[in-house]
Amino acid sequence: MKQFLRKISPFNNCADIPVALFIIKKILAFWVCYIAGLFLAEKILCRGIVLHTLKEKTPLMTAIIISTILFILPHWSSLFEPSDKKLYTLDY
């Protein structure tokens, strides 16, 4: 299994695989990392940077409340959106 995973890993520079497959693997690795980064960026910003910066300047409870409000603001409009206009609905 280890040998198989080494062969298909996008991070190795195997000379025995076709160039097209190597490029496809690099592109797929890029997109997987990019999408994972999109999901993590908001959490890192609000829960990491903002919370820890505010925690040094204000009491802990105040920092948590402000950080939570800043996290909610981008999602505020979707909280009150009607259920028939949801983004991930399947229409049959």
Side-chain angles (χ1 to χ4, degrees), residues 6 9-17 22 25-26:
R6 270 195 202 116
S9 172
F11 302 108
N12 61 1
N13 288 327
C14 293
D16 57 340
I17 63 171
F22 184 73
K25 286 179 8 178
K26 292 286 184 178

Side-chain angles (χ1 to χ4, degrees), residues 16-62:
D16 57 340
I17 63 171
V19 175
L21 180 61
F22 184 73
I23 292 171
I24 290 171
K25 286 179 8 178
K26 292 286 184 178
I27 291 171
L28 287 175
F30 167 78
W31 281 109
V32 167
C33 294
Y34 179 75
I35 291 170
L38 290 176
F39 290 118
L40 294 175
E42 188 177 31
K43 282 286 190 191
I44 290 170
L45 178 68
C46 288
R47 298 292 185 222
I49 298 169
V50 173
L51 180 62
H52 289 286
T53 303
L54 288 172
K55 191 170 66 171
E56 295 171 356
K57 299 178 181 181
T58 62
L60 179 62
M61 192 53 108
T62 306

